[in-house]
Amino acid sequence: MFSRDSLTPLKMLLFSFHATNTIILSYLPLYLKYKGLNGTEIGWVLAVGPLASIFAQPFWGYMSDKYKTVKRIIQICIVGLLVTSVIFFQMNTLLAIILMGAIFYFFVTPIGALGDSLAQRRAEHFGVSFGAIRWWGSVGFATSSLIIGEVLTRVGIEYMIIPFLCFGVLALIVSFGLTDVKVDSEPVQLRDVSAIIKNKSFVIFLLLIMFLTITHRANDSYIGLYISQLGGSEGLVGFAWFTGVLTEALVFATAGIWFRKYHPLVFIIIAGAIYSVRWFIYASVDNPLHIIGLQFMHGLTFGVFYLAAFNYVSRLIPKLLQSTGHLVFFATFFGVSGIIGSLVGGSIIDSLGGETLYYGMGILATMGTILITLYHLLPFGKEAYVHQRDQ
């Protein structure tokens, strides 16, 4: 159906998977509320995803590097997603939902990282921009946020599994058209993975970007609640997601024009500075429509930051361990940062309000931007070029 060199299956995979991800990220809290869970219980369920990703991301990354295939691991995870989601959505008690949710997220969370890892390798193979491939995921997210929101408003949140399975099955079908990138090396061994842990630049970089990623993940979890506190409706929450992800897609799509001009750390610093300004402005507004109008900053923060950070990690990690390195990065961004952002952010917004939460996020992002700037000026930040030459 597709030629071996076609990027269409990969683009369709990113589109369909991120469409399913929209459904989980945007509407699972409403579904759990429909199931009868209170806010605290919903928070525990949402924390299961980042927790599972801390274990799932490195595990599946290691398996991908060991057996030298991203395609087959993606297919295993998609099959796991489809099977476990059916069981997960049948659970009714808190304990059953949490336990089944952990298994469900174990298969779900690595797919995005593996897809991006394959996109990075294919982009290098064809000499095209990674963003030009990755933006299809953002298009899927934005499209789903509008269409599925309208569908669920009409038919009821209890039927959210139907569009979820539809996009999931589509992802599985197109995955058979994927092409792996050949790696001419011996299969990775556990002892090889220690090279990642011993890579000081990589470890320090992950620790520093958490100052930014914690704020990003806190916003993911609580922007809807903050809009609600400001008097906004659920419809405005959906439109906020659409607006933000649309600008993210534009940033990815145009990355080939602007991204290669400077060192990726320069773009991370720029994104960090915009993150700081963004959170301080969010903290100062008193109208939910102002949040919608400012959501274009999502593309200038997450879009720029993610492209640059993913590229920098690819420079730091030897090609033999690319999948493992990418998934460790994902585990830090969406796992550890997700847990901290959700738990601490939830406590702050409940006790002190959204304004205080966003002011705190602004301060944290400012600290992170300063530290990453220092990192860039010190030898650790320049070590990526050494790794890149040695690969």
Side-chain angles (χ1 to χ4, degrees):
M1 184 170 59
F2 299 105
S3 68
R4 178 175 175 80
D5 288 335
S6 174
L7 291 173
T8 301
L10 179 55
K11 293 175 180 178
M12 292 177 65
L13 172 76
L14 295 174
F15 178 94
S16 53
F17 169 72
H18 285 280
T20 68
N21 200 33
T22 303
I23 298 172
I24 294 297
L25 186 61
S26 301
Y27 302 109
L28 183 60
L30 296 176
Y31 179 81
L32 295 174
K33 183 178 180 181
Y34 164 79
K35 284 280 190 176
L37 273 62
N38 60 38
T40 301
E41 292 171 333
I42 291 173
W44 280 104
V45 176
L46 296 181
V48 168
L51 180 62
S53 73
I54 294 174
F55 302 97
Q57 306 278 23
F59 172 78
W60 289 113
Y62 169 75
M63 296 299 287
S64 174
D65 287 331
K66 180 176 177 61
Y67 294 104
K68 300 168 68 174
T69 175
V70 178
K71 173 180 176 178
R72 299 304 178 194
I73 301 300
I74 287 176
Q75 290 176 324
I76 291 171
C77 288
I78 294 176
V79 170
L81 173 152
L82 293 172
V83 173
T84 58
S85 66
V86 173
I87 303 173
F88 174 64
F89 280 97
Q90 302 303 314
M91 300 296 100
N92 294 305
T93 64
L94 177 61
L95 181 59
I97 291 173
I98 289 177
L99 293 177
M100 197 62 225
I103 301 173
F104 168 70
Y105 280 114
F106 184 79
F107 289 101
V108 173
T109 54
I111 298 175
L114 289 168
D116 285 358
S117 182
L118 184 58
Q120 174 77 18
R121 299 183 189 192
R122 295 288 282 169
E124 291 177 356
H125 178 75
F126 285 104
V128 300
S129 166
F130 165 67
I133 302 175
R134 177 57 177 79
W135 91 293
W136 284 96
S138 300
V139 172
F141 196 110
T143 302
S144 180
S145 66
L146 279 186
I147 296 176
I148 302 306
E150 182 64 25
V151 170
L152 294 181
T153 298
R154 295 177 181 274
V155 304
I157 194 69
E158 63 268 28
Y159 296 106
M160 68 174 283
I161 189 176
I162 296 176
F164 180 85
L165 289 176
C166 288
F167 282 119
V169 170
L170 177 61
L172 179 62
I173 293 172
V174 300
S175 72
F176 288 96
L178 296 176
T179 300
D180 265 326
V181 175
K182 185 178 180 181
V183 179
D184 295 320
S185 60
E186 293 298 319
V188 66
Q189 303 296 324
L190 276 175
R191 63 177 178 272
D192 298 322
V193 180
S194 64
I196 292 180
I197 301 174
K198 294 177 181 178
N199 187 326
K200 292 181 180 179
S201 294
F202 181 60
V203 173
I204 293 173
F205 176 69
L206 292 183
L207 291 175
L208 294 183
I209 64 171
M210 284 181 64
F211 283 85
L212 301 179
T213 57
I214 286 173
T215 69
H216 178 87
R217 296 294 287 151
N219 178 69
D220 280 351
S221 297
Y222 299 110
I223 186 172
L225 184 56
Y226 186 47
I227 289 174
S228 178
Q229 286 185 354
L230 293 174
S233 65
E234 293 178 358
L236 282 180
V237 174
F239 195 68
W241 277 107
F242 173 77
T243 304
V245 177
L246 184 62
T247 61
E248 171 192 316
L250 292 175
V251 168
F252 284 145
T254 58
I257 301 174
W258 54 266
F259 182 64
R260 299 180 186 275
K261 294 184 178 181
Y262 301 100
H263 190 288
L265 284 176
V266 173
F267 288 110
I268 292 174
I269 293 167
I270 292 172
I274 300 174
Y275 263 127
S276 303
V277 174
R278 180 186 179 191
W279 303 145
F280 283 130
I281 295 177
Y282 277 30
S284 64
V285 303
D286 57 7
N287 188 320
L289 292 178
H290 294 162
I291 299 292
I292 308 300
L294 293 166
Q295 273 294 87
F296 75 92
M297 300 179 78
H298 174 80
L300 300 178
T301 49
F302 173 73
V304 173
F305 171 83
Y306 183 79
L307 277 176
F310 199 85
N311 179 273
Y312 186 64
V313 167
S314 299
R315 295 184 180 204
L316 289 175
I317 301 299
K319 290 187 181 297
L320 176 64
L321 298 170
Q322 287 280 286
S323 293
T324 304
H326 289 157
L327 272 80
V328 170
F329 165 67
F330 256 60
T332 302
F333 192 155
F334 298 100
V336 178
S337 297
I339 293 172
I340 297 173
S342 295
L343 296 181
V344 177
S347 176
I348 293 175
I349 201 169
D350 281 341
S351 58
L352 302 174
E355 178 183 345
T356 301
L357 172 63
Y358 277 90
Y359 269 125
M361 289 161 56
I363 294 172
L364 195 63
T366 301
M367 293 171 58
T369 303
I370 294 172
L371 290 173
I372 294 171
T373 302
L374 293 175
Y375 170 87
H376 179 45
L377 297 175
L378 294 174
F380 285 130
K382 297 177 174 58
E383 192 173 319
Y385 290 115
V386 177
H387 283 273
Q388 193 176 36
R389 288 196 301 268
D390 293 341
Q391 290 177 21

